[in-house]
Amino acid sequence: MTTARVDYIKYAALGLLATAATPAHAQLGTETTSYTLFGTPGLILMPTAEVAADSELAFSYSQFGPNANGTLTFQILPRLSGSFRYTKLDNFWASGPLRGQDFFDRSFDLQYRILNESKYLPAVSVGIRDFIGTGIYSSEYVVATKSIGDKLRVHGGLGWGRLASHNPIGNIGGPRPDWDAGKGGTLNFSQWFRGDFAPFAGLSYKVNDKLTFKAEYSSDAFTVEERRGTLEYNSPFNFGIDYEVSPAFHLNASYVAGSMFGAGLTIRLNPRKPQARSGNEKAPLPVKPRPSRADSAAWSTDWVSTPEDHADIQRVVSDALGKEGIRLKALALTATRAELKIDNKRYNSQPQAIGRTARILTHALPASVESFEITVTQNGIPLSTVTMRRSDIERLEHAPAIDMYQRVTIDEAAPSALRNSDLPNHDTRFTWALAPYLALSFFDPSSPVRGDFGLRFSAKYELTPNIILSGAVQKSIFGNLDDDTYLNTSVLPHVRTAGALYAQQGDPAIEHLTASWYERPGKNLYSRVTVGYLEKMFGGVSAELLWKPVDSPLAIGAEVAWVKQRDYDQLFGFRDYDVVTGHVSAYYDFGNGFSTRVDAGRYLAGDYGATFSVDRTFANGWKVGGYFTKTNVSAEDFGEGSFDKGIRISIPFEWALGTPSKSESSAQLRSLERDGGARLQVDGRLFDWVEDGHGDAYAGRWGKFWR
């Protein structure tokens, strides 16, 4: 085979990843997808061309022989899925100073369906495994899946790399290039679809709605593990069963390689399918229609010149909104117009808070008031003003929410912060909470998961609506974050790798103690200055400026901070290290929930570079994204992982509980937290909350306006 022919085949295979599929009869994601022991779509160990429902998130754990896997798989797009896997191999090191010790490996996989199943043609997918890691599981494949009736599916494909380690039948491009992974974290694209390739096949049979049998011929001979003596490989045939306890919970059991039994579980969630029935909140007030204009007394405007009437209306509106978890921050009235500013403390959807406010106004305001101008605020800062006609509210109460959306206007709010004189006399400025906390640390070199559970006391006081004092103290009750004995060999300033020392000595600890000042310095502009103990490791001062038009998909921000490293006990003292850090940031919303962000600047260890992020945000507040950071720190100086990268997930409590809440549970899975690319953590960064009060966020969540 000529070199030109080899390159043509290789690049044609790679090009399949971006090929638009031919329209087919089967709808994507309608089939039930099973997951392998590696936590990826497939049979037992081998991949299939199946795809999960769009947005499905699967958490898997499995064990077979010396191999334990924890995997997160996300259906990023209807055709594209991605997986992050953490693997433990028992007694992996057969010689040297690590003899007898376990090996922990992190890897990323991608799979793309290039052809949907049709009446005569199978579904076809292309995938790459462990493409940015140590390469232990490095492999590529092309696989097809065909359904025969409602119960039987047949699968077959070709694999390269590790998936060609048993009985290869051909070769593309000569020997597969050797791969020096170094510290890990670098792309091994020079190996993709190169070298020997081997066939694999399998079938799955759905006995009933709960039970599925699987069998496969595997092209993975476990050569790495067998060479190290950690397992015995006797057969390419694997057998297994999958049992659906519930649509969200699956158990599986397998017999692998003729020598090992395996078992696992998979938890499947989908942001589009709430775990709890929504709408558990108390029903809103019905819209109160105004009397006929023939009732001249009801439509009188004499109240406008009576201060007592204004005060009574303000009290009624404030009390009614307070019962809904909405704080009235200001109210101005004329004979035909009501201008009010609100702070939504309860609803994950701002349009739901606006809708409930509008309903209350139909009860509280005189009949002559026709125009409602509702301004959403946060941290004392007006974000946007939604203007609507009362007559539209009365006429469209039982119509689809989109009808109302088409009749409102959403504009930038006046660029001025709220003042104390705007507030109702009984406005609450002091709030506090005592709640449990759970702190988790993933993937340190000696343990895959560490954690602490304890109590956290937090308090907040508003000197003015836009100047806020905030603090939190936490006390660990039990956990093992302080058990980390890993020797810190980082050659960079220890801005993050000293985390174990902070856990060991900081109990109890001042999590943060800050004063923050928020402002609107001009049109489309927002600002923040925060001073104090900013996070558990650093204190100092941070200043930020954000440009974000209310109806623009683009936002640009800049932040600069001078910070000093805190003492390990996380009380009031500081260490000798200080640094000036800062970034210029660009944010862009592509629509359909997809957005990207670039932060370029100087990090805590003094290194310069940029962080690139992509997120998918759902209308109910779910967010799933990934990021990576490249700085001028070399892979050798950075250490294991070569550069910072990770996956982040944010799940709103409202989705899980079915009751209104602005709280959320967030997790960040990074390959390993090191000193390079480390960024300051500050509560109240502008874009994180400004975007929720702008038009692009309203559009996706307006369906809850009448809820």
Side-chain angles (χ1 to χ4, degrees):
M1 183 178 289
T2 66
T3 301
R5 178 64 175 163
V6 169
D7 288 342
Y8 173 80
I9 293 176
K10 180 179 71 172
Y11 291 116
L14 289 173
L16 293 176
L17 289 169
T19 302
T22 303
H25 294 84
Q27 184 179 353
L28 279 171
T30 56
E31 67 265 29
T32 301
T33 302
S34 65
Y35 290 86
T36 67
L37 290 171
F38 289 127
T40 54
L43 289 169
I44 302 165
L45 297 177
M46 296 296 101
T48 67
E50 296 170 321
V51 294
D54 183 27
S55 312
E56 180 168 289
L57 197 66
F59 302 88
S60 302
Y61 178 80
S62 69
Q63 183 144 7
F64 60 96
N67 190 309
N69 298 283
T71 308
L72 169 67
T73 294
F74 180 54
Q75 193 66 36
I76 304 168
L77 295 167
R79 298 178 183 274
L80 178 67
S81 66
S83 301
F84 172 70
R85 181 170 52 256
Y86 190 72
T87 300
K88 176 188 175 186
L89 296 172
D90 291 340
N91 302 314
F92 184 79
W93 301 105
S95 61
L98 299 179
R99 179 184 176 88
Q101 293 189 23
D102 302 333
F103 178 70
F104 297 92
D105 183 66
R106 296 164 293 275
S107 56
F108 292 87
D109 302 351
L110 286 174
Q111 178 172 303
Y112 185 81
R113 178 182 276 193
I114 59 174
L115 184 68
N116 289 345
E117 182 177 351
S118 64
K119 184 176 181 180
Y120 300 108
L121 296 176
V124 178
S125 291
V126 176
I128 49 178
R129 288 182 171 178
D130 196 9
F131 65 92
I132 187 169
T134 58
I136 291 177
Y137 294 99
S138 175
S139 51
E140 306 81 48
Y141 58 86
V142 179
V143 62
T145 292
K146 188 74 180 76
S147 298
I148 302 176
D150 296 331
K151 295 182 178 292
L152 180 65
R153 289 185 196 159
V154 179
H155 317 272
L158 294 175
W160 284 258
R162 180 166 174 136
L163 291 181
S165 56
H166 174 75
N167 195 24
I169 61 172
N171 180 282
I172 291 180
R176 188 175 176 91
D178 292 332
W179 176 245
D180 179 11
K183 296 288 186 179
T186 53
L187 287 169
N188 57 352
F189 60 85
S190 64
Q191 295 185 319
W192 294 356
F193 299 95
R194 292 283 298 274
D196 292 343
F197 58 87
F200 58 87
L203 56 86
S204 58
Y205 183 77
K206 194 172 182 62
V207 179
N208 53 43
D209 290 341
K210 298 288 187 181
L211 184 64
T212 301
F213 284 132
K214 304 177 184 179
E216 68 181 17
Y217 170 81
S218 170
S219 58
D220 182 355
F222 293 96
T223 54
V224 174
E225 293 90 337
E226 192 174 38
R227 186 169 61 246
R228 291 175 177 268
T230 60
L231 62 77
E232 181 181 349
Y233 176 78
N234 295 326
S235 171
F237 294 99
N238 304 322
F239 304 93
I241 59 172
D242 183 279
Y243 184 75
E244 180 182 302
V245 179
S246 71
F249 191 80
H250 286 240
L251 296 174
N252 62 71
S254 307
Y255 185 63
V256 177
S259 62
M260 299 174 289
F261 287 97
L265 60 88
T266 300
I267 300 172
R268 307 164 68 149
L269 305 174
N270 196 309
R272 299 176 184 273
K273 300 175 181 178
Q275 289 297 97
R277 182 177 64 87
S278 63
N280 291 336
E281 66 268 32
K282 181 181 177 181
L285 285 173
V287 172
K288 183 179 180 180
R290 287 172 289 183
S292 167
R293 285 188 175 270
D295 185 350
S296 58
W299 285 80
S300 171
T301 59
D302 292 344
W303 62 272
V304 175
S305 58
T306 308
E308 291 80 4
D309 288 345
H310 284 256
D312 288 344
I313 292 171
Q314 184 182 70
R315 185 182 64 257
V316 170
V317 172
S318 181
D319 290 345
L321 287 175
K323 293 176 182 178
E324 296 284 356
I326 303 169
R327 293 169 63 183
L328 178 66
K329 309 301 288 188
L331 176 62
L333 298 169
T334 69
T336 59
R337 186 175 67 253
E339 301 175 7
L340 66 162
K341 297 180 174 66
I342 62 170
D343 188 357
N344 168 30
K345 296 294 186 182
R346 177 178 296 173
Y347 300 99
N348 190 43
S349 167
Q350 293 284 16
Q352 186 172 10
I354 294 169
R356 293 206 167 207
T357 300
R359 288 175 179 270
I360 287 171
L361 295 181
T362 65
H363 287 259
L365 298 185
S368 64
V369 179
E370 166 66 8
S371 176
F372 298 165
E373 297 181 11
I374 302 172
T375 297
V376 173
T377 72
Q378 189 164 340
N379 295 320
I381 299 301
L383 301 176
S384 61
T385 298
V386 181
T387 303
M388 62 195 75
R389 294 188 304 175
R390 187 171 180 173
S391 52
D392 287 334
I393 297 170
E394 294 168 336
R395 182 168 52 88
L396 299 174
E397 180 184 12
H398 302 294
I402 187 65
D403 291 355
M404 191 66 200
Y405 180 73
Q406 292 171 346
R407 288 164 175 79
V408 306
T409 60
I410 303 173
D411 300 305
E412 181 188 10
S416 59
L418 290 170
R419 301 165 299 178
N420 283 341
S421 58
D422 296 326
L423 304 176
N425 293 332
H426 51 284
D427 186 66
T428 302
R429 297 192 191 183
F430 177 74
T431 56
W432 65 274
L434 179 63
Y437 78 88
L438 177 65
L440 296 174
S441 172
F442 297 96
F443 314 139
D444 75 57
S446 58
S447 178
V449 182
R450 295 185 186 275
D452 262 346
F453 175 83
L455 289 176
R456 179 178 184 269
F457 175 80
S458 60
K460 182 184 293 186
Y461 181 74
E462 299 177 3
L463 291 176
T464 67
N466 64 320
I467 300 178
I468 301 170
L469 306 180
S470 174
V473 178
Q474 62 185 37
K475 177 70 175 72
S476 174
I477 297 176
F478 62 84
N480 63 351
L481 279 179
D482 57 353
D483 290 345
D484 188 1
T485 58
Y486 174 61
L487 181 62
N488 189 350
T489 59
S490 175
V491 299
L492 299 172
H494 295 178
V495 295
R496 291 300 182 214
T497 52
L501 294 175
Y502 282 93
Q504 291 163 8
Q505 300 183 34
D507 184 28
I510 299 173
E511 180 194 78
H512 76 275
L513 184 61
T514 60
S516 298
W517 173 35
Y518 301 92
E519 264 296 348
R520 290 291 313 272
K523 181 177 174 60
N524 299 325
L525 293 176
Y526 303 82
S527 65
R528 171 189 60 82
V529 177
T530 305
V531 61
Y533 300 91
L534 304 176
E535 51 145 288
K536 68 177 183 178
M537 295 188 187
F538 285 91
V541 58
S542 165
E544 184 183 7
L545 182 67
L546 176 72
W547 174 84
K548 172 67 171 73
V550 72
D551 57 353
S552 172
L554 175 68
I556 297 174
E559 179 183 4
V560 64
W562 174 85
V563 292
K564 193 173 178 68
Q565 193 167 30
R566 295 177 62 185
D567 277 345
Y568 297 140
D569 62 10
Q570 296 178 66
L571 295 177
F572 297 101
F574 289 93
R575 299 178 60 78
D576 290 337
Y577 182 76
D578 65 272
V579 64
V580 174
T581 178
H583 290 78
V584 174
S585 304
Y587 314 81
Y588 193 81
D589 185 346
F590 290 98
N592 297 320
F594 288 92
S595 60
T596 188
R597 170 177 176 172
V598 179
D599 303 286
R602 192 182 195 211
Y603 294 82
L604 286 172
D607 48 331
Y608 292 87
T611 300
F612 302 86
S613 308
V614 176
D615 292 283
R616 185 174 184 184
T617 303
F618 297 87
N620 56 17
W622 257 82
K623 181 178 286 189
V624 181
Y627 70 92
F628 70 90
T629 299
K630 290 291 290 182
T631 73
N632 59 344
V633 172
S634 68
E636 181 179 1
D637 287 343
F638 181 90
E640 185 177 353
S642 297
F643 61 94
D644 190 37
K645 52 195 172 292
I647 298 167
R648 54 187 175 226
I649 303 170
S650 180
I651 303 175
F653 284 3
E654 183 174 287
W655 177 89
L657 303 177
T659 55
S661 174
K662 295 194 74 176
S663 299
E664 59 186 26
S665 177
S666 299
Q668 187 166 260
L669 304 178
R670 60 192 340 143
S671 56
L672 191 67
E673 187 170 31
R674 306 289 294 177
D675 295 316
R679 192 173 180 189
L680 183 69
Q681 299 169 0
V682 183
D683 283 341
R685 278 202 169 105
L686 295 172
F687 187 80
D688 296 339
W689 52 271
V690 168
E691 65 163 343
D692 286 339
H694 277 192
D696 44 1
Y698 290 162
R701 302 184 185 182
W702 194 264
K704 283 202 166 185
F705 179 82
W706 291 122
R707 296 287 292 274

